[in-house]
Amino acid sequence: MEENGIIIVDSIDQYNKLMGFSTKNPLVAVVDMSKSELTKACQETTIEYEVYSIWLKQSYCGDITYGRQPYDYQEGTVTAFAPGQIIHFKPAADYKPKALGLLFHPDLIRGTSLGHNIKQYDYFSYSSREALHLSEDEKVIFQDCLEKIKMEIERPIDKHSKKLICRNIELLLDYCMRFYERQFVTRKAANLDVLDKFEKLLDQYFTGNRAEQEGLPTVKYFAEECFLSPNYFGDLVKKETGKTPQEHIQAKIIDLAKESLAGTDNTINEIAYQLGFQYSQHFNRYFKRNVGKTPSQFRKEMALL
């Protein structure tokens, strides 16, 4: 199906026909792009995936764009796409397809442990500059997982087929989660640069009257300022600090609130608006939930010290 120049892939069979593959299972496919129909695979296309897919790139292919940012998609990298994502592919002039991929429909995992846990694989929502770079040993593990899934797809379907396919997909996704955690460690210097920028942006947000004009800061705002997706940004910050970005934002707001309550004569309403709260009642609840007492109680206690 195509709308406004965007090919909408909402079934495994549709993708197989698009690339010249045969369909062995209507809900899952392991594909080797080197065996695709060259004319179809080499066209510049924009695809909206309504299935899950994960890819191991084995050679330079051209430009892949998700949103407005190009993917960090060199040889030996893994990228993953979730239903609803739109990908633009512009092949290089001498492009020869060479990638391994797994595609599976959401219906495959309904009612399974994988279906229940699919949201934990945040990398399906990672975007620009966030591809996973595999070592040679990691590539072997990735390929071995695909081979086991392929073997199950190609044998006659029985009562064990769905369970074994889903378990092997889950195994592959768990390995990729481990590989991403390893990459967070190996990119520690770059991660620390992101953390430093986050802290500076957090300080700057409450300088002047920006919070009062724009409201409470969001994780999405800081992620975009660091040119990262919210999920990748959140995982990076949590990995390096042990706290989520939202927890850092919350701590900053409470710290500033305490400073204003103890060190200024501003009313509680004024402090609430300066920090980005639309209503002072919201600020009161927020403060009490995090401090254990109301702003008024905190101010009175500070006055007695």
Side-chain angles (χ1 to χ4, degrees):
M1 181 169 61
E2 186 170 341
E3 292 183 5
N4 300 320
I6 299 175
I7 299 172
I8 300 175
V9 174
D10 55 10
S11 72
I12 299 302
D13 186 60
Q14 183 189 358
Y15 183 84
N16 285 336
K17 288 178 179 177
L18 183 66
M19 295 300 171
F21 297 116
S22 60
T23 299
K24 303 291 180 64
N25 186 302
L27 296 178
V28 59
V30 173
V31 299
D32 181 348
M33 293 304 294
S34 67
K35 298 177 181 179
S36 62
E37 289 187 17
L38 192 61
T39 55
K40 295 183 177 181
C42 293
Q43 294 175 348
E44 181 173 356
T45 54
T46 300
I47 296 177
E48 178 179 340
Y49 284 94
E50 295 302 333
V51 299
Y52 290 94
S53 69
I54 187 165
W55 300 89
L56 171 61
K57 177 71 175 57
Q58 296 177 297
S59 65
Y60 175 71
C61 63
D63 298 326
I64 293 181
T65 306
Y66 169 54
R68 296 181 179 179
Q69 297 291 334
Y71 251 107
D72 181 8
Y73 200 51
Q74 306 162 15
E75 180 179 352
T77 58
V78 169
T79 50
F81 306 113
Q85 294 179 332
I86 298 176
I87 312 301
H88 181 75
F89 173 55
K90 184 177 182 180
D94 57 349
Y95 170 58
K96 293 182 179 179
K98 193 178 181 184
L100 299 175
L102 166 70
L103 300 96
F104 58 97
H105 196 280
D107 287 349
L108 175 74
I109 63 175
R110 296 192 197 282
T112 68
S113 63
L114 177 56
H116 180 72
N117 296 320
I118 193 68
K119 295 296 184 183
Q120 74 174 327
Y121 302 107
D122 287 341
Y123 50 78
F124 277 106
S125 296
Y126 290 173
S127 57
S128 61
R129 302 191 301 155
E130 300 163 357
L132 172 61
H133 299 259
L134 298 189
S135 68
E136 292 303 317
D137 288 342
E138 290 168 349
K139 290 178 191 176
V140 172
I141 293 172
F142 189 100
Q143 292 168 335
D144 183 60
C145 288
L146 286 187
E147 193 59 36
K148 287 183 170 63
I149 298 168
K150 181 181 178 183
M151 181 177 65
E152 281 299 323
I153 292 172
E154 293 183 343
R155 63 170 290 142
I157 295 176
D158 58 31
K159 65 179 181 179
H160 302 288
S161 298
K162 178 179 177 178
K163 182 188 295 183
L164 289 170
I165 289 171
C166 288
R167 283 182 178 175
N168 279 292
I169 293 175
E170 195 166 9
L171 180 63
L172 172 63
L173 300 184
D174 283 342
Y175 270 119
C176 287
M177 186 177 289
R178 169 187 279 179
F179 300 156
Y180 255 115
E181 289 178 359
R182 181 269 307 156
Q183 183 164 290
F184 281 131
V185 173
T186 57
R187 292 186 171 184
K188 193 170 185 66
N191 294 349
L192 292 178
D193 287 342
V194 172
L195 290 178
D196 183 58
K197 185 172 183 179
F198 176 34
E199 291 297 329
K200 289 178 179 176
L201 287 167
L202 194 52
D203 288 337
Q204 291 169 4
Y205 195 91
F206 292 100
T207 300
N209 60 355
R210 180 166 190 171
E212 190 172 350
Q213 291 179 341
E214 300 184 19
L216 294 171
T218 64
V219 174
K220 183 175 182 290
Y221 165 77
F222 293 113
E224 289 177 349
E225 288 295 308
C226 293
F227 303 103
L228 298 171
S229 65
N231 278 349
Y232 187 91
F233 177 73
D235 287 347
L236 185 158
V237 173
K238 180 68 180 293
K239 182 70 177 178
E240 293 294 337
T241 69
K243 295 181 180 180
T244 66
Q246 190 58 52
E247 288 172 329
H248 282 275
I249 295 170
Q250 177 178 289
K252 183 70 173 179
I253 292 170
I254 294 300
D255 185 56
L256 291 173
K258 286 180 175 180
E259 285 185 18
S260 293
L261 289 167
T264 74
D265 294 325
N266 293 340
T267 67
I268 291 174
N269 281 353
E270 289 172 338
I271 293 171
Y273 297 142
Q274 287 167 1
L275 291 173
F277 290 90
Q278 189 173 1
Y279 304 105
S280 60
Q281 298 95 321
H282 182 197
F283 170 63
N284 288 333
R285 290 194 298 270
Y286 188 94
F287 190 90
K288 186 174 183 180
R289 185 171 65 247
N290 287 281
V291 181
K293 58 195 72 174
T294 66
S296 296
Q297 290 170 333
F298 178 82
R299 173 169 267 177
K300 287 177 183 178
E301 289 180 7
M302 290 296 102
L304 295 175
L305 297 178

